[in-house]
Amino acid sequence: YVKDTDCYEQNSLYPHKPKDETCELWQSVNTVGDKENKYSMYISKTTGAPVHYVMKGYNNLLGSHYDKYELYYSSYEPGSVTDDDFEIDTSIQCGNFPGPGVERMVFNNPMIEFINNDDTHVHESFEDFKEKHGKSYSDSTEHESRKNIYRQNYRYVQSINRAGLTYALKLNQMADYNDNEFRMIRGRLPSSGYNGGKAFPKEEFSEAVPDALDWRLYGITL
């Protein structure tokens, strides 16, 4: 509970706004990355019925992107809630949300991020990437840094696939790796000083090392 207030304080242009109606404002606020999510429910002080619901942030009803949505209740019938209301119908078959999907939209309209300042596709793709590969980061700073790396790789893959070549690229679990991490997996990373290794024991080899050696005589090479 936050306060008693005007039921439509977040939208004074609502055409059917009742005069002088007071509501209790109940609000949930949380932060994901650098984005604040605020969910506000207005309950009538007179009837106890929901009047106005405002979502500003991640759409927790439809599971969509960051946006602002408003719901107005034209009627409300209270009723009792039983345990059966929360039982899952196992006969229902689930599937993907219909439509071309974010990948196809970006493929056909790559400039949406630059012209409309809309990077929803990057956010959604990055969230899917984290879930698929079990990614987690130490704090919001690392999260944003990793997402920016992912964004650059995402753009590159999309640009190559858009060129109509004989092959296609796809992002894998290393799409958020930085340069140092790639250098580590490509081979030895030279140290700046002594690394603790032992010197070669030359004194154990009494025979002089020849200037040249023909390995063909030993059947080692052709």
Side-chain angles (χ1 to χ4, degrees), residues 62 95-101:
L62 300 177
N96 293 329
F97 193 79

Side-chain angles (χ1 to χ4, degrees), residues 92-128:
I92 297 177
Q93 298 295 320
C94 297
N96 293 329
F97 193 79
V102 63
E103 297 293 334
R104 179 55 57 181
M105 288 188 290
V106 176
F107 184 85
N108 293 328
N109 185 15
M111 297 305 294
I112 187 173
E113 183 178 353
F114 307 100
I115 296 177
N116 299 337
N117 291 323
D118 183 359
D119 64 348
T120 302
H121 56 284
V122 177
H123 172 76
E124 293 182 357
S125 180
F126 186 59
E127 291 300 313
D128 291 341

Side-chain angles (χ1 to χ4, degrees), residues 5-9 11-12 14-23 44-46 51:
T5 185
D6 176 6
C7 294
Y8 301 94
E9 64 173 354
N11 189 351
S12 60
Y14 181 60
H16 306 295
K17 175 184 175 182
K19 293 182 178 180
D20 302 324
E21 183 172 1
T22 302
C23 280
S44 172
K45 291 280 289 184
T46 305
V51 176

Side-chain angles (χ1 to χ4, degrees), residues 1-140:
Y1 172 76
V2 178
K3 61 181 179 178
D4 288 354
T5 185
D6 176 6
C7 294
Y8 301 94
E9 64 173 354
Q10 296 193 54
N11 189 351
S12 60
L13 299 179
Y14 181 60
H16 306 295
K17 175 184 175 182
K19 293 182 178 180
D20 302 324
E21 183 172 1
T22 302
C23 280
E24 292 182 353
L25 171 60
W26 294 79
Q27 204 167 66
S28 173
V29 180
N30 59 68
T31 302
V32 178
D34 61 348
K35 291 183 170 62
E36 182 183 74
N37 307 277
K38 186 178 293 185
Y39 310 102
S40 306
M41 174 65 80
Y42 294 82
I43 306 295
S44 172
K45 291 280 289 184
T46 305
T47 65
V51 176
H52 185 200
Y53 180 56
V54 181
M55 296 181 291
K56 190 174 183 181
Y58 185 75
N59 183 350
N60 62 346
L61 287 184
L62 300 177
S64 183
H65 51 273
Y66 282 83
D67 209 336
K68 180 180 180 182
Y69 296 84
E70 295 192 51
L71 302 178
Y72 300 98
Y73 295 83
S74 59
S75 63
Y76 174 74
E77 296 181 3
S80 59
V81 179
T82 67
D83 292 340
D84 293 339
D85 294 327
F86 297 94
E87 289 294 328
I88 299 176
D89 186 351
T90 57
S91 65
I92 297 177
Q93 298 295 320
C94 297
N96 293 329
F97 193 79
V102 63
E103 297 293 334
R104 179 55 57 181
M105 288 188 290
V106 176
F107 184 85
N108 293 328
N109 185 15
M111 297 305 294
I112 187 173
E113 183 178 353
F114 307 100
I115 296 177
N116 299 337
N117 291 323
D118 183 359
D119 64 348
T120 302
H121 56 284
V122 177
H123 172 76
E124 293 182 357
S125 180
F126 186 59
E127 291 300 313
D128 291 341
F129 164 79
K130 290 192 302 179
E131 181 178 355
K132 179 179 180 180
H133 298 292
K135 298 282 185 172
S136 61
Y137 307 113
S138 59
D139 52 35
S140 60

